[in-house]
Amino acid sequence: MSEANHQPKMRKAVYPGSFDPITNGHVDIIKRGLKIFDRILVAVLENPKKKPLFSAEERVSMIKEIFAGQKNTEAKAFHGLLVEFAKKNDAKVVIRGLRAISDFEYEFQMALMNMKLDPEIETLFMMPNLSYSFLSSKMVKEIFMLGGCLKDLVPDQVEKKLREKFKNKHPSLNL
Ligand code: PNS
């Protein structure tokens, strides 16, 4: 094929999760993923059953704010099957972060189930920097509620939103 006709295919991946809220560990995975893919679509699970602290719109808006001006990263809320969402958005790869061996069983099960649902979709596991291997959204919320320091754990925008959220939920807390 001549070079003029050869349009390189855009490599696009979906990075799904609850992101309640997004942490520096997630940001690290997105940045690493962008070394491999041209575009990353951060897919925020809209699942009211999980009773998230932030609504899907709030979680998407935080991610958009953090990656503002970066055309290679976008964020959308989704519900239903991940493989359907990936297909609808022209992505054939799902990225998941693996922090520790303890993540493996759940991730392995999910990757194999997604493979069964759609063999065209591949799951790619990536490891965050060691300094984020202990980090989770659940821990971030707990540390924040107990007055601990979130420095280096979440982007500034997230800390600000946590402050606003807890001020509204618990006005008596001196935040
Ligand atoms: O950050 P999380 O909560 O570990 O992310 C889990 C997520 C969103 C990736 C997973 O729950 C998911 O893909 N949900 C969509 C429903 C689905 O496709 N289920 C079948 C595969 S197990």
Side-chain angles (χ1 to χ4, degrees):
M1 193 186 296
S2 80
E3 201 147 294
N5 291 335
H6 182 71
Q7 279 277 5
K9 231 177 158 211
M10 170 118 93
R11 293 167 305 168
K12 183 175 180 180
V14 167
Y15 179 39
S18 299
F19 303 106
D20 187 37
I22 186 166
T23 69
N24 281 346
H26 296 126
V27 171
D28 184 59
I29 293 287
I30 295 168
K31 287 182 177 165
R32 284 171 196 281
L34 285 171
K35 292 181 193 167
I36 303 170
F37 297 95
D38 299 313
R39 193 170 184 82
I40 291 190
L41 168 55
V42 185
V44 175
L45 181 67
E46 205 177 288
N47 185 0
K49 271 197 207 143
K50 269 198 166 181
K51 290 205 167 45
L53 175 64
F54 292 101
S55 69
E57 296 75 49
E58 286 173 317
R59 286 175 276 150
V60 166
S61 134
M62 273 187 269
I63 296 165
K64 284 186 172 170
E65 211 182 306
I66 292 160
F67 291 94
Q70 270 181 252
K71 288 207 174 80
N72 52 10
T73 309
E74 59 179 326
K76 281 185 190 173
F78 83 103
H79 55 84
L81 286 178
L82 173 64
V83 290
E84 295 295 333
F85 177 80
K87 209 162 33 184
K88 221 168 28 197
N89 285 278
D90 301 316
K92 287 202 183 290
V93 177
V94 168
I95 295 178
R96 288 290 287 172
L98 268 188
R99 290 163 301 187
I101 305 275
S102 51
D103 282 341
F104 187 75
E105 202 173 329
Y106 167 61
E107 294 297 337
F108 187 59
Q109 201 180 3
M110 201 156 56
L112 288 177
M113 185 50 78
N114 284 333
M115 196 187 282
K116 165 100 183 91
L117 291 170
D118 188 341
E120 291 293 304
I121 307 271
E122 294 294 337
T123 299
L124 177 73
F125 293 111
M126 300 194 71
M127 280 168 66
N129 186 291
L130 188 62
S131 54
Y132 303 124
S133 57
F134 55 88
L135 183 54
S136 70
S137 300
K138 189 171 163 217
M139 254 185 196
V140 160
K141 286 178 275 194
E142 189 169 313
I143 293 167
F144 186 80
M145 279 172 74
L146 297 173
C149 176
L150 290 185
K151 186 174 164 357
D152 298 332
L153 302 185
V154 291
D156 292 346
Q157 295 92 330
V158 171
E159 189 166 355
K160 187 168 159 250
K161 288 284 187 294
L162 276 166
R163 217 171 283 285
E164 285 169 14
K165 180 66 77 179
F166 280 97
K167 218 177 207 167
N168 292 336
K169 281 204 161 189
H170 308 283
S172 57
L173 284 177
N174 197 14
L175 296 169

